[in-house]
Amino acid sequence: MAGSNDPLVITFGEMLIDFVPDTAGVSLAESRAFIKAPGGAPANVACAISKLGGNSAFVGKVGDDEFGKMLVDILNQNGVNTDGVCFDREARTALAFVTLRKDGEREFMFYRNPSADMMLKESELNIGLIKKAKIFHYGSISLISEPCRSAHLAAMKAAREAGALLSYDPNVRLPLWPSPDTARSGIKSIWFDADFIKVSDDEVNFLTQGDAEKEEVVMSLWHDKLKLLLVTDGEKGCRYFTKKFKGRVTGFSVKPVDTTGAGDSFVGSFLASVARDSSIFDKEQNLREALTFSNACGAICTTQKGAIPALPTRSEAEKFISGNKGN
């Protein structure tokens, strides 16, 4: 895959194997077979950017095992820079068993005790690579335990000092945190560092313990350093809030097969747009166009099983939008 000339977007955090039932609507116990799919939100985002013609790198750690090597191969096949990936000789690559309900929504069961991604140390960070980022993107799973938490904070600091925009998608996974309160405080511990935050409506409900439909509830998550706060509302689309303007961009209605990776497809597409033109935070029309494109990428991703294989190319997304103009 040819390298992109776009500014670099680095994603930081976990990459793992999702085992997805071959049949929707059955519990893990009832499932007869599982499809092995690469996953982990930050890795999905990196692949989404690259598949759309952007320039991305993934920074994280996998096990020095068959699965870890497979994941790095998949990043390379998808055109993602892997110079910031290291292998752990002792801890295994993380696994997640994902149940698909009839509506394509998911439930997770994780095998991480501890997994390689949690063992990333600050001394293992490729700081030279991190300093090249125009955008540095991360989630909250890498904040749950040491040494990865310290590595995460150090990577954020290095990126910020080198002038990168900091992008945060908390990606709440409650089973991984000791308790809901720990999750809330851990996720909010880096809230005020971000330039851009994307949350789902469910995550707004969880973080605020209020109603995500209400604007004042969403705005309780706003802070003055933010250039943009985005709330995704599933197939209804998304809401955007900046210092100067706010609004809603409607989504696309599709029949979902598997919602895994839809949010990552949305975020990756949006970050690819920001990397090309960071003035979209100030130009509402440009922002709305980028969000329509992101909504399309999110919708397309739900129509196929597994996150990375379902990520669209730019031409697929443009074709989808022109075919759904009446939406």
Side-chain angles (χ1 to χ4, degrees), residues 157-227:
K157 185 170 182 281
R160 162 74 82 202
E161 285 171 358
L165 280 170
L166 298 189
S167 162
Y168 187 22
D169 175 359
N171 239 315
V172 177
R173 294 284 179 267
L174 275 183
L176 296 179
W177 292 87
S179 71
D181 285 341
T182 321
R184 256 182 229 103
S185 59
I187 287 163
K188 287 183 171 173
S189 68
I190 57 167
W191 199 259
F192 297 101
D193 297 299
D195 297 294
F196 159 61
I197 293 174
K198 172 256 164 188
V199 275
S200 69
D201 48 359
D202 289 344
E203 287 166 343
V204 173
N205 291 340
F206 171 71
L207 290 169
T208 63
Q209 296 175 282
D211 180 355
E213 285 299 310
K214 293 182 175 161
E215 192 174 305
E216 66 271 19
V217 171
V218 174
M219 289 309 287
S220 70
L221 296 172
W222 177 265
H223 63 78
D224 281 344
K225 266 198 214 160
L226 272 181
K227 291 179 170 24

Side-chain angles (χ1 to χ4, degrees), residues 10-15 57-62 72 75 82-87 116-117 120 124-125 148:
I10 291 183
T11 69
F12 174 92
E14 70 284 353
M15 188 173 195
F58 173 72
V59 172
K61 198 174 200 185
V62 292
V72 173
L75 289 173
T82 55
D83 295 346
V85 180
C86 32
F87 291 91
D117 58 287
L120 180 68
E124 294 172 314
L125 291 172
C148 189

Side-chain angles (χ1 to χ4, degrees), residues 44 175 190 192 208 228 266 315:
N44 294 343
I190 57 167
F192 297 101
T208 63
L228 175 68
F266 174 95
S315 61

Side-chain angles (χ1 to χ4, degrees), residues 73-87:
D73 283 347
I74 285 165
L75 289 173
N76 287 323
Q77 285 159 23
N78 281 278
V80 176
N81 175 314
T82 55
D83 295 346
V85 180
C86 32
F87 291 91

Side-chain angles (χ1 to χ4, degrees), residues 208-265:
T208 63
Q209 296 175 282
D211 180 355
E213 285 299 310
K214 293 182 175 161
E215 192 174 305
E216 66 271 19
V217 171
V218 174
M219 289 309 287
S220 70
L221 296 172
W222 177 265
H223 63 78
D224 281 344
K225 266 198 214 160
L226 272 181
K227 291 179 170 24
L228 175 68
L229 175 63
L230 272 183
V231 180
T232 53
D233 294 308
E235 68 169 32
K236 289 188 290 188
C238 62
R239 287 171 278 165
Y240 58 87
F241 302 87
T242 74
K243 287 188 173 77
K244 296 178 185 165
F245 46 78
K246 63 187 181 192
R248 185 187 286 269
V249 179
T250 51
F252 296 90
S253 194
V254 292
K255 189 170 173 17
V257 174
D258 175 8
T259 59
T260 311
D264 305 325
S265 181

Side-chain angles (χ1 to χ4, degrees), residues 264-281:
D264 305 325
S265 181
F266 174 95
V267 170
S269 154
F270 185 70
L271 294 180
S273 298
V274 175
R276 289 190 175 130
D277 175 19
S278 52
S279 75
I280 66 174
F281 294 127

